[in-house]
Amino acid sequence: MNDALVFALLFSAVACGWWLGRRGSARLNSTAAGLPSQYYRGLNYLLDGRPDGAIDHFISALEVNSETLETHIALGNVLRRRGEVDRAIRIHQNLLARPDLPRVQMHLAHLELARDYIGAGLLDRAERLLLDLVTESDEQRDVSRQHLLEIYRSESEWAQAIEQAQALLPRKGLLRSASPELHLSGQSVAVQMAHFYCELALELSASGNIDEARKALVRALESDSGCARAALELGKLEAAAGNHKRAIEALSRVESQDPDFLPEAIPPLRESYRALAEEQALAEYLSSCFDKHPSTPLMIAVADDILRDRGSDAARDFLASRLARVPSLRGLLKLIRLQQKPPATDTPEPTDSLSMLSMLLDRLIEERPAYRCEHCGFSAKHLLWFCPGCKYWGTFRTIRTTQTE
Ligand SMILES: [Zn+2]
């Protein structure tokens, strides 16, 4: 019923526009005051609850002029939102077939047609229209770039996505009030661009182009100095290249960028500190991180260091005292595993019970999502840098509850 109402309103609006326009431009035409029979037929379809036929008659019946243009566009947009992209495309193409359409309105119709193509998955066609608009339309340039950015992101064309993002950012020294710092999705363009550089770096690194990959990661950090992903990737890249001091330098940025990502930095940090034979320095660093930003993964990392340096009794005491304050499943599993020592004895009874408990806990933890998007709540077992739910970048965080962490 709501759709029928919308269509009825749109019909009335266009018909009035058509009638007024026709009366004004063709004073001598005695039939000018009448509406075309196609209009009535369309209205009949509408009243019969068959809007599909109504739209077809509407498209073929009513002329486009400056008074009716906005309504034509609105009707096309309603159809697109309803998923009837083919019809939306016909309406917007119909507008573009009018050579006398003012330039600004022509560009608006172009933009809507590009949106229809995106809705229909015809990204090549949308891209061509949007690139034309970037060149030709001052009014639609930024919004066209935002759509292009979205197209290139969905096609993993990172260099082109970066190019559009770069153009959308305010130029240094210039106040571009019309330039949106926020993308259509609502997320900052600079934040997105940092992730595009990270994606590009991964591709470059996979093809053996380490120098270019490093440059891309440095640019990611220039775009968004708070991008923990870029610091993590740079650390991993330097560690793989044997530059362990540089790796540690990059990975140490994570704490000030976003301590929630510290657990991701632990394995590469261990690798680099081990390579430099400075494991004691890492133990001190992790311990200070745990004091400032307590979390289960850091607690387990500190327990591992205590186990190595002071033995299992000290590690068990440390875990038991921390878990008494903030219980967590992963922490409990770690404690049970420490308890399981020594593994090979001739007294299987208690060891078996603990093994069973540890196996069950393991399965319980495995079945639960460990990460959640803090923007839309989408959850996953693994860390995702791009949220499939809300299309935001870098919004996944470890789920911090005693039930899952
Ligand atoms: Zn999300």
Side-chain angles (χ1 to χ4, degrees):
M1 281 305 286
N2 280 342
D3 282 341
L5 190 63
V6 170
F7 284 123
L9 289 170
L10 287 168
F11 261 109
S12 311
V14 176
C16 287
W18 172 86
W19 182 75
L20 288 168
R22 183 140 182 176
R23 195 176 61 168
S25 63
R27 278 172 298 161
L28 298 175
N29 188 341
S30 60
T31 63
L35 289 167
S37 61
Q38 296 277 40
Y39 168 74
Y40 291 112
R41 217 172 292 161
L43 196 57
N44 276 335
Y45 276 121
L46 190 69
L47 295 173
D48 288 348
R50 292 185 292 161
D52 291 358
I55 292 154
D56 291 339
H57 282 278
F58 165 76
I59 294 171
S60 58
L62 292 175
E63 69 179 86
V64 178
N65 57 44
S66 53
E67 284 84 14
T68 63
L69 183 117
E70 278 187 21
T71 315
H72 278 265
I73 284 183
L75 180 60
N77 295 352
V78 168
L79 288 168
R80 185 173 65 232
R81 278 199 294 276
R82 280 165 42 117
E84 297 182 42
V85 185
D86 287 352
R87 287 200 162 81
I89 289 173
R90 279 182 55 200
I91 288 196
H92 293 137
Q93 277 177 336
N94 187 40
L95 295 180
L96 292 169
R98 315 297 160 119
D100 52 341
L101 214 58
R103 197 175 158 81
V104 172
Q105 294 184 334
M106 178 79 86
H107 289 156
L108 186 59
H110 259 123
L111 178 67
E112 295 303 340
L113 185 59
R115 286 172 169 160
D116 297 338
Y117 285 147
I118 292 171
L122 302 168
L123 300 184
D124 286 358
R125 289 192 199 178
E127 182 190 3
R128 277 197 293 277
L129 282 180
L130 293 166
L131 285 171
D132 285 348
L133 283 174
V134 166
T135 327
E136 291 171 18
S137 170
D138 290 340
E139 294 81 9
Q140 309 301 346
R141 182 166 297 126
D142 279 347
V143 71
S144 299
R145 283 194 189 284
Q146 296 192 28
H147 284 299
L148 280 167
L149 186 152
E150 206 53 47
I151 289 174
Y152 295 138
R153 182 203 49 77
S154 70
E155 295 189 322
S156 304
E157 298 284 356
W158 305 116
Q160 285 164 291
I162 289 166
E163 191 188 327
Q164 297 305 328
Q166 195 89 56
L168 280 167
L169 289 172
R171 287 185 203 138
K172 279 179 188 152
L174 275 178
L175 274 177
R176 291 177 67 205
S177 56
S179 174
E181 284 194 45
L182 288 179
H183 179 247
L184 292 170
S185 68
Q187 193 174 29
S188 146
V189 172
V191 167
Q192 294 190 61
M193 190 163 76
H195 284 274
F196 298 159
Y197 272 121
C198 289
E199 295 284 349
L200 183 65
L202 289 177
E203 281 185 2
L204 290 164
S205 182
S207 60
N209 204 340
I210 303 300
D211 286 345
E212 288 303 312
R214 183 184 288 118
K215 279 184 200 162
L217 291 170
V218 169
R219 288 200 190 105
L221 288 165
E222 283 167 3
S223 174
D224 173 18
S225 60
C227 183
R229 181 192 187 184
L232 286 166
E233 296 298 346
L234 189 59
K236 288 181 200 166
L237 181 142
E238 297 294 7
N243 303 322
H244 294 291
K245 279 197 185 300
R246 280 202 205 168
I248 291 169
E249 196 182 310
L251 294 165
S252 303
R253 289 183 71 161
V254 174
E255 188 196 352
S256 58
Q257 287 172 316
D258 194 335
D260 280 346
F261 289 109
L262 268 173
E264 312 301 325
I266 297 172
L269 275 172
R270 281 213 187 285
E271 189 190 325
S272 289
Y273 273 103
R274 197 177 298 131
L276 297 170
E278 291 179 14
E279 282 144 312
Q280 195 50 46
L282 176 63
E284 285 164 21
Y285 175 67
L286 291 179
S287 177
S288 81
C289 286
F290 177 61
D291 288 343
K292 284 183 269 179
H293 322 283
S295 72
T296 302
L298 276 171
M299 178 175 69
I300 290 172
V302 172
D304 282 336
D305 288 337
I306 295 174
L307 179 67
R308 184 194 59 213
D309 297 337
R310 293 193 272 144
S312 59
D313 284 351
R316 272 202 300 269
D317 288 349
F318 167 78
L319 275 178
S321 68
R322 294 302 187 282
L323 286 171
R325 273 182 261 161
V326 185
S328 83
L329 289 184
R330 284 173 206 275
L332 185 59
L333 180 63
K334 182 74 185 173
L335 185 62
I336 290 171
R337 286 195 173 145
L338 286 172
Q339 205 75 38
Q340 278 177 285
K341 278 191 72 185
T345 62
D346 289 334
T347 53
E349 271 304 307
T351 310
D352 275 352
S353 305
L354 283 178
S355 296
M356 178 68 81
L357 190 57
S358 133
M359 194 186 73
L360 289 173
L361 262 178
D362 208 12
R363 206 181 292 165
L364 197 62
I365 292 167
E366 197 58 39
E367 282 169 3
R368 288 161 185 263
Y371 296 91
R372 183 175 293 141
C373 170
E374 64 178 3
H375 182 246
C376 76
F378 191 100
S379 59
K381 287 183 183 171
H382 305 285
L383 173 62
L384 301 175
W385 291 111
F386 178 67
C387 176
C390 64
K391 314 261 187 266
Y392 267 46
W393 291 90
T395 47
F396 272 75
R397 296 291 182 278
T398 311
I399 297 175
R400 283 176 173 275
T401 68
T402 52
Q403 285 80 32
T404 55
E405 196 180 37

